[in-house]
Amino acid sequence: MAYSRLRRLLAFDRQIRRDGTQSPVFLHRRDRRFALDCQDRNETPSVDRWLVHLERVGRMGGKDSHQSRLAASAPEQTLIKWRRLLATFALFGVIFGIVAMAGLLYYEGGQRINLTVLLAFAALQSLLALITIVQSTVNWQPWRPVLRRLGLGGRESPLKPLMPALMARVAHTGGVCFGLAGVATLLVLVVIQDLAFGWSTTLSTSAEGYHQLLGTIAWPWQHLWPTAVPDLALVDATRFFRAEASSGEADPELWGQWWPFAVMVWLVYVVMPRLAGLVLAQLQLHLRARRALASHPGMVALEYRMETPTVDTGNQHHDALDSPDEQTAAQCQALPDSQILIYWAGADDPELPDSLSAGHLLTESAGGQRSLADDEQAIERCNDLLAKQAKPAVTLVTRAWEPPIAELKDFIEAARNHWPKKTRIALLPFTSGATQLNSLQQLGQWLRFVDRLNDEQVCVSQPDLRSPESRAYEPKPEGLK
Amino acid sequence: MAEAPVFAVVGHPNKGKSSIVATLSQNDAIAIALEPGTTRKRQAYPLSVDGHRVYTLVDTPGFQRPRRVLEWLEAHSVSVSDRAETVKAFVTQFQDDTRFADECELLAPLTEGAGVIYVVDGSIPYSPQHEAEMTILRWTGRPSLALINSIGPDDYSDTWQRALGQFFQVVRRFDAVRAPFEQHLSLLKTFGQLEPEWEAPLNEATRYLSEQRHQRRRESATLIANTLEGMMSFREQRTLTVQQVTEMSDQALADQLRDQWYKHQRKKEEHLRIAIERLYQHNRVQRQEAELVWHSEHDLFSENSRAAWGVDRRYLATAGFGAGAVSGVGIDAATLGHSLGTGALIGGLIGAAGSYYYGDRLALPVLKIGVLKNGIRTASFGPVQDSQFGYVVLGRAINHWWHISQRNHAGRELLDLAPADDHWMESLDRRSRQTIHQVFDQCRKKRPLDDKTRQTFRDAIDAAMTEFDHWRLNQP
């Protein structure tokens, strides 16, 4: 029972340590899922169930992995060490019990077995049991370095707060074995030998006084086993002095009548305190193991993870690597000497500077708030003028910060189908004021747009803000003439 | 159970639709680029609580041929009552037509019952040129909200707000890159106000998101506390054989140990950074470059770092007194109070004196080279004996946490971890100071921490995080 609690605590601690390498988000998802599964089955999500669940899902298809076996065996290893320590104490308890009792009852036929020594020894055992009980209750651990050397009391061990109770249990087990082996030895010797008990003391005490003391000692079993309570006559008859040559006055049978009292003294004052200590240690172990598990930092976190719903904000989809190619080979070209200016989607607001807008024979608007029919009419009107020109060219002004959309593409394609084939179309992405801050980035999207159109007659031009007069005297670039 | 609300984020290309979705869905892996056509397919981003959808955001491509779509709709509609049906018919008719692929992608969720979140860029001047697309959206008959997102430095929000008010039920301003978390929640609550039955799920979502944020903060404090404990108590050890001893001088051994020690500490710090970033779902933070710059100018172990993140001698003395006094109380307890508090006083004075004395020394970790014994020699470096080291690591970690917790998932800029120019920790409450100092002392003395101390240490780190948050928010 106690071992199952310890095993649970050790296994839990082990699992929490293993979880330390996992991300908190994963742990939350895992444990919340477990809690929800328990809820579906109308079960309380206990630590035992949690551990069993993790062990089951950790087996990976029914086969125990080496890792999981190691993980499962680690708590067992610690408990085995404690079991071995317990067995060692029990064994030594038995041996010492036999030896001690044999020593106490050593009788070669001459001297009596002094009951006073037996009583003193039993009192000492009671005192030792009491010290062990107090020690485990106040958490005093004088043997901690020894345990650490044996690998039982590591600083990080979850059993650390249980050490006093564990050690007390070991000590009391040894004590119980000692006591029982003593009683057994006493009974065997009673059967196979004629033990001659007597009492002796240097102190000047009367038989009445001694009888009163023995009566007090025998109080616990006076009703249970009256024969084991010595009467005054026996006490009076069995006093001996070592200086006496012989004590032949007393009936030899009387010397042997003490054994029930001796057995009961041993049982009540040696075995019983140890048994009581063992029960108390076991109880302490239960309580402390439960408290240690409840106050384990991992338990608080686990309960929180089980109770709190997992929130998935929808971040599974990844397409950041699927971004469009922002490279382009297209270059800005000089503005052609066009006589037609078309403002696309409200590009006439803000107005173009005079250096760009002046000197054009025809100014049109298309896109944006204009209807598709308006666009077609504008294309027709431009066509009339372009048909008369030797070097037809159109300047299409756009808002540089607005992205080029498919409607503009449709417009350019429709215009190219209507206008003379050699008509050059110069896209003029125009910026003004603060929007110029992003002009380079904005220009890039227009260059890529023209690149995608794959039409040699369409290009992107940067605004030339010089006056028309100064432009008139400027030598024309090759290809635009 | 009512179906979870769906919100389609629509608009002209390049107005920050994906940024809005990235921030609200806490997804930094959504492609965001100033290039029309970056989003080609609609993509759903559901917010789920325990696997149940609470609401879904749908990122959509921008309008490409709005006038052509509107012309078709007008040509096929007889009255106002059939407009929504006409939009649906348009999607049905053109869903396989490449010319209207983008329009079908963005209109499809609206015909299936999604709410409209129309996004415009408030940093560029208002233009009535987009009225065709706004009209199409109005034709869908779906509850609608307009968001003014500001991509550039200019602000034309007022004009936009007035104009959008004519087309949309609600108009809100929201900076996808810079809006604080409280504004995310407020925006989601506004989504819920578009339809009465959407209010409850959106309120539920904001509650869970708020709890999740608190939880992340607690977990960050735990991560920082655990890392600090590990770094402050770390000792680099090496066992050498006779041959190795003869081949290597003491100086070379010391240098190697020191290098390994520094390397380990930097690795631990890097792990902490990554863990906190993952916690806040920042998986693509460009910190590599920032970290290199950070390390070259403000190296963890440099005097500059100490000046930026360390604490002054007065702080150390105060914290040291508190920590020493706590230790001294043990003496008073042992004497059952007969020492009349002398233990606490003496302990406090010793702690304060020690901290003051060592406060301006960047003491190196202890280097110990053992004697040759049984053909084996052991050498160790660490733990660090200077509490300032802990304060430097703590300051840097909290600074990083703060930047990550404040960073929106639409942000793509380099994470700039500028060092603090003020000793913000000095306004931390006395109890937290003492706890931090005491833990640092215990770690450097290689004394293990018990669970209770660990818990109070985590609480103290949490308090320091709160203090840093206040300090940052009150920065001019």
Side-chain angles (χ1 to χ4, degrees), chain A residues 240-300:
Chain A
F240 69 93
F241 297 93
R242 286 195 294 169
E244 277 181 352
S246 103
S247 47
E249 294 147 16
D251 183 359
E253 242 183 73
L254 286 175
W255 303 113
Q257 283 180 10
W258 278 103
W259 74 263
F261 174 75
V263 167
M264 285 314 286
V265 162
W266 198 259
L267 276 175
V268 172
Y269 295 103
V270 178
V271 179
M272 291 298 277
R274 287 295 181 181
L275 264 177
L278 187 60
V279 170
L280 189 68
Q282 200 80 351
L283 203 65
Q284 281 175 337
L285 212 52
H286 272 265
L287 291 173
R288 287 181 191 179
R290 200 168 62 181
R291 210 179 299 151
L293 189 65
S295 63
H296 196 290
M299 179 58 98
V300 180

Side-chain angles (χ1 to χ4, degrees), chain A residues 83-375:
Chain A
R83 278 204 191 103
R84 280 184 188 153
L85 189 67
L86 191 84
T88 310
F89 265 68
L91 182 68
F92 278 101
V94 170
I95 295 168
F96 288 148
I98 295 167
V99 172
M101 187 53 83
L104 284 170
L105 301 184
Y106 179 72
Y107 175 59
E108 82 292 317
Q111 202 68 278
R112 309 281 168 269
I113 300 165
N114 191 353
L115 272 168
T116 314
V117 176
L118 196 78
L119 290 176
F121 196 83
L124 177 70
Q125 289 302 316
S126 292
L127 185 68
L128 288 176
L130 187 69
I131 288 171
T132 310
I133 290 168
V134 171
Q135 191 179 294
S136 74
T137 309
V138 300
N139 286 341
W140 182 39
Q141 303 174 61
W143 24 256
R144 192 192 285 170
V146 183
L147 285 183
R148 215 174 272 164
R149 199 165 289 180
L150 291 171
L152 287 165
R155 282 175 175 163
E156 295 290 315
S157 172
L159 298 182
K160 200 179 154 196
L162 280 72
M163 286 296 178
L166 272 168
M167 204 51 219
R169 190 172 67 156
V170 168
H172 288 309
T173 306
V176 168
C177 290
F178 175 86
L180 291 175
V183 171
T185 310
L186 172 62
L187 291 174
V188 168
L189 290 176
V190 164
V191 173
I192 61 171
Q193 281 189 334
D194 58 330
L195 297 175
F197 292 97
W199 65 277
S200 178
T201 174
T202 315
L203 301 173
S204 57
T205 180
S206 64
E208 289 76 18
Y210 200 74
H211 175 254
Q212 204 173 352
L213 173 72
L214 296 185
T216 311
I217 290 169
W219 176 82
W221 63 89
Q222 60 183 341
H223 299 296
L224 195 69
W225 193 9
T227 321
V229 183
D231 54 20
L232 183 60
L234 181 66
V235 175
D236 192 37
T238 53
R239 182 169 191 176
F240 69 93
F241 297 93
R242 286 195 294 169
E244 277 181 352
S246 103
S247 47
E249 294 147 16
D251 183 359
E253 242 183 73
L254 286 175
W255 303 113
Q257 283 180 10
W258 278 103
W259 74 263
F261 174 75
V263 167
M264 285 314 286
V265 162
W266 198 259
L267 276 175
V268 172
Y269 295 103
V270 178
V271 179
M272 291 298 277
R274 287 295 181 181
L275 264 177
L278 187 60
V279 170
L280 189 68
Q282 200 80 351
L283 203 65
Q284 281 175 337
L285 212 52
H286 272 265
L287 291 173
R288 287 181 191 179
R290 200 168 62 181
R291 210 179 299 151
L293 189 65
S295 63
H296 196 290
M299 179 58 98
V300 180
L302 175 66
E303 281 174 351
Y304 187 83
R305 290 199 296 268
M306 285 182 181
E307 286 164 7
T308 322
T310 55
V311 181
D312 189 334
T313 55
N315 66 340
Q316 287 84 14
H317 180 71
H318 288 201
D319 64 359
L321 299 174
D322 196 23
S323 298
D325 185 7
E326 293 189 11
Q327 301 294 317
T328 177
Q331 297 278 318
C332 273
Q333 294 185 21
L335 202 60
D337 193 10
S338 70
Q339 291 182 314
I340 298 174
L341 193 65
I342 302 175
Y343 292 108
W344 175 258
D348 50 346
D349 179 24
E351 278 186 23
L352 278 185
D354 288 345
S355 55
L356 286 173
S357 60
H360 291 94
L361 292 177
L362 181 64
T363 302
E364 292 285 352
S365 292
Q369 283 184 299
R370 304 276 168 181
S371 68
L372 293 168
D374 289 343
D375 287 4

Side-chain angles (χ1 to χ4, degrees), chain B residues 208-268:
Chain B
Y208 284 126
L209 284 170
S210 198
E211 280 172 14
Q212 186 191 48
R213 192 162 174 85
H214 284 119
Q215 192 184 343
R216 283 176 178 172
R217 188 198 160 103
R218 273 195 297 274
E219 281 166 2
S220 297
T222 307
L223 286 169
I224 293 173
N226 292 347
T227 305
L228 268 171
E229 188 189 335
M231 287 176 78
M232 283 300 286
S233 54
F234 177 68
R235 173 185 284 163
E236 180 70 32
Q237 264 183 312
R238 189 177 290 186
T239 308
L240 300 164
T241 59
V242 180
Q243 194 186 347
Q244 285 170 322
V245 169
T246 51
E247 283 170 359
M248 193 183 289
S249 69
D250 281 2
Q251 186 56 46
L253 175 63
D255 289 346
Q256 272 192 16
L257 281 170
R258 191 180 292 115
D259 287 348
Q260 286 298 317
W261 187 86
Y262 282 131
K263 205 172 161 185
H264 173 91
Q265 301 290 39
R266 289 197 166 108
K267 208 169 156 185
K268 289 288 278 183

Side-chain angles (χ1 to χ4, degrees), chain B residues 386-407:
Chain B
D386 186 1
S387 295
Q388 290 281 20
F389 173 77
Y391 288 106
V392 170
V393 176
L394 174 64
R396 280 163 54 98
I398 290 182
N399 185 41
H400 172 255
W401 160 79
W402 189 83
H403 277 89
I404 289 296
S405 68
Q406 299 293 319
R407 188 181 172 94

